[in-house]
Amino acid sequence: LSENVKVPEPVVEKEGYLLKARIADGGKKLRKNWSTSWVVLTARKMEFYKESKQPALANLKPGYKPECVDLCGARIEWTSEKSSRKNVFQITTVSGNEFLLQSDIDFLILDWFHAIKNAIDRLPKE
Ligand code: I3P
């Protein structure tokens, strides 16, 4: 294949700001640290950007790679034990990464939960 062949960008199903905390990395517990993230959902994965994914801005930072979550075989569930905040759900990946996502706005977090759950349910389990 020629180096000029570009892999098309996957279709964005949903994007927006959420509060995010990564609480485990490969099964190893991490210290919880909430931060606002620009979240981009496509069919197979989620990306967490430190700021709005403006293509022009992203291009100004060569090499910037968002945190990426493979949704194949992932689990999603509401949790009330892992945070004192309301409206928190957890995503657990096959590789043992755990993320909490939260918004105070009920309809907004519900939309995200269902969009991610639908994506996971459409994917093969591994
Ligand atoms: C944590 C921080 C988190 C809090 C967490 C604290 O302290 O306040 O916001 O989680 O509670 O440990 P630190 O900044 O010193 O690490 P929530 O906001 O989700 O409750 P936790 O220990 O009960 O997880």
Side-chain angles (χ1 to χ4, degrees):
L1 277 174
S2 148
E3 281 174 29
N4 293 327
V5 173
K6 289 227 172 74
V7 178
E9 285 279 320
V11 175
V12 172
E13 300 194 353
K14 189 170 175 63
E15 58 188 332
Y17 288 108
L18 285 179
L19 216 56
K20 180 212 72 172
R22 186 174 190 163
I23 57 168
D25 180 13
K28 189 168 160 279
K29 292 286 172 209
L30 297 174
R31 180 172 171 182
K32 192 196 286 166
N33 184 17
W34 288 104
S35 63
T36 301
S37 214
W38 182 256
V39 185
V40 177
L41 173 68
T42 60
R44 302 185 67 92
K45 66 182 185 191
M46 295 176 77
E47 289 175 334
F48 297 123
Y49 290 80
K50 281 187 185 137
E51 53 199 288
S52 171
K53 192 199 176 194
Q54 301 287 333
L57 281 178
N59 287 339
L60 288 175
K61 295 182 184 161
Y64 174 69
K65 282 270 199 309
E67 206 170 6
C68 191
V69 177
D70 179 7
L71 291 177
C72 275
R75 286 183 290 124
I76 182 169
E77 62 207 347
W78 294 103
T79 174
S80 50
E81 299 93 55
K82 301 209 174 165
S83 173
S84 59
R85 294 167 188 269
K86 69 167 188 170
N87 295 348
V88 178
F89 62 77
Q90 175 171 339
I91 296 170
T92 308
T93 68
V94 165
S95 55
N97 296 334
E98 297 174 14
F99 298 88
L100 300 181
L101 293 172
Q102 192 268 348
S103 168
D104 284 337
I105 304 165
D106 296 358
F107 76 86
L108 201 149
I109 197 72
L110 268 173
D111 275 5
W112 271 104
F113 182 88
H114 291 300
I116 298 166
K117 187 166 187 335
N118 286 340
I120 290 174
D121 288 346
R122 283 196 308 259
L123 286 167
K125 294 296 162 237
E126 52 196 272

